[in-house]
C-alpha cells in the first residue's frame, strides 16, 4: 500500500502552496467552465481536490465551493487554509444541493464499481439542471497512455464508449465528451503563435482521422486527456 505522505512527496505538493493556482490554470478553468454559464455564487463540490488549485480558483470567482478528499492530510491542510473540506468517508454527497460537481483527474484512481457508485451519488447531489464535469486520461488515444500509466494509483482507463455507458447507468445526459480546452493566448507573442499553429494542426489531424477511420467517433483522439460534461434532468 502506497503511504499518503510518500505519494504527496512524489507529486511534489508543497503544503505551503496549497490552494494556489497559476494564471495558466486560471485560464484553463475559465475555458472549461465557460459553456456551463454558472451564476455567481453557484454551489460547487470538488471530488478529490488534491492540492486545492480548483477550489482556490472557484473561491476567487465568488463561487460557493467545498471539497471532499480521500487523503486526510490534505483535508487537514484545506481546513487550515479556510476551505470547506471533508473526507470522502462520508455517505454520499448530499441531496440536490450543488449546481456543479467537478472531478479533475480523479475517476482514473477508482475501480469501475467505485466510479458507478460515485456517479450515482453525483446525480443525487446535483440540483435539477446541474452539471458534472470530469477530466481524466484519454482512454481512446495512445497520447493518454503516459498520463494513465504515469501514476501508480491509477486503476481504470476510460474511453468514449465507457463514458456513454456510465452516463446511462447514472441516468444523466451527455453534454459533451471532448479533449481539454487549450490555452492559446500568452504574454509572449511567439509562444501564442506556436500554440495557435499547434491547435490548428491538431484540428486538421482530428478531422482527417475521423473521416478516414472513425467517422462516428466524437472524442478528440489527439488530446492526451478527456473532459466529459454530464447534466442532470
Amino acid at each position: 500500500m502506497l503511504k499518503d505522505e510518500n505519494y504527496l512527496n512524489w507529486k511534489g505538493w508543497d503544503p505551503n502552496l496549497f490552494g494556489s493556482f497559476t494564471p495558466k490554470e486560471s485560464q484553463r478553468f475559465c475555458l472549461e467552465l465557460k459553456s456551463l454559464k454558472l451564476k455567481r455564487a453557484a454551489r460547487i463540490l470538488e471530488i478529490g481536490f488534491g492540492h486545492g488549485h480548483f477550489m482556490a480558483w472557484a473561491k476567487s470567482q465568488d463561487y460557493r465551493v467545498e471539497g471532499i478528499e480521500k487523503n486526510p492530510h490534505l483535508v487537514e491542510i484545506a481546513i487550515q487554509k479556510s476551505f470547506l473540506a471533508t473526507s470522502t468517508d462520508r455517505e454520499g454527497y448530499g441531496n440536490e444541493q450543488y449546481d456543479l460537481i467537478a472531478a479533475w483527474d480523479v475517476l482514473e484512481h477508482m475501480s469501475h464499481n467505485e466510479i458507478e457508485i460515485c456517479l450515482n451519488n453525483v446525480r443525487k447531489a446535483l440540483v435539477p439542471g446541474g452539471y458534472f464535469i470530469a477530466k481524466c486520461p484519454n482512454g481512446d488515444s495512445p497520447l493518454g497512455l503516459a498520463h494513465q500509466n504515469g501514476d501508480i494509483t491509477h486503476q481504470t482507463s476510460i474511453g468514449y464508449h465507457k463514458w456513454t455507458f456510465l452516463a446511462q447507468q447514472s441516468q444523466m445526459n451527455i453534454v459533451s465528451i471532448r479533449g481539454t480546452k487549450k490555452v492559446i493566448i500568452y504574454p509572449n507573442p511567439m509562444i501564442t503563435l506556436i500554440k495557435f499553429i499547434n491547435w490548428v494542426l491538431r484540428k486538421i489531424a482530428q478531422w482527417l482521422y475521423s473521416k478516414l477511420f472513425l467517422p462516428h467517433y466524437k472524442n478528440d483522439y489527439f488530446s492526451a486527456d478527456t473532459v466529459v460534461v454530464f447534466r442532470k434532468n
Side-chain angles (χ1 to χ4, degrees), residues 136-142 144-145 148 157-160 163 217 219 224-226:
C136 67
N138 187 348
D140 293 321
S141 172
L145 290 176
Q148 180 64 33
S157 178
I158 311 175
Y160 177 83
W163 284 121
Y217 180 71
N219 196 1
D225 295 300
T226 293

Side-chain angles (χ1 to χ4, degrees), residues 99-130:
D99 302 291
L100 173 69
I101 296 180
W104 307 105
D105 305 304
V106 170
L107 298 185
E108 64 269 25
H109 295 266
M110 302 179 183
S111 67
H112 286 99
N113 185 58
E114 288 171 333
I115 292 172
E116 289 191 45
I117 293 172
C118 172
L119 292 180
N120 282 327
N121 286 332
V122 163
R123 177 179 51 79
K124 294 174 184 176
L126 286 171
V127 299

Side-chain angles (χ1 to χ4, degrees), residues 164-209:
T164 63
F165 174 79
L166 291 169
Q168 175 184 292
Q169 288 297 100
S170 61
Q171 300 175 41
M172 289 189 284
N173 295 326
I174 297 171
V175 176
S176 62
I177 301 174
R178 55 173 174 77
T180 53
K181 299 289 187 180
K182 302 300 181 185
V183 176
I184 298 176
I185 307 300
Y186 287 79
N188 187 323
M190 183 57 66
I191 295 178
T192 297
L193 178 61
I194 292 171
K195 293 291 184 180
F196 177 74
I197 293 173
N198 179 276
W199 178 80
V200 171
L201 292 176
R202 280 175 176 265
K203 288 293 183 182
I204 294 172
Q206 175 65 29
W207 182 83
L208 288 172
Y209 183 84

Side-chain angles (χ1 to χ4, degrees), residues 71-101:
N71 189 303
H73 182 58
L74 293 174
V75 174
E76 181 181 344
I77 295 174
I79 293 173
Q80 291 173 357
K81 297 276 187 174
S82 301
F83 289 100
L84 292 175
T86 56
S87 169
T88 50
D89 292 336
R90 76 185 196 185
E91 186 71 21
Y93 309 141
N95 292 302
E96 297 194 349
Q97 54 185 320
Y98 298 109
D99 302 291
L100 173 69
I101 296 180

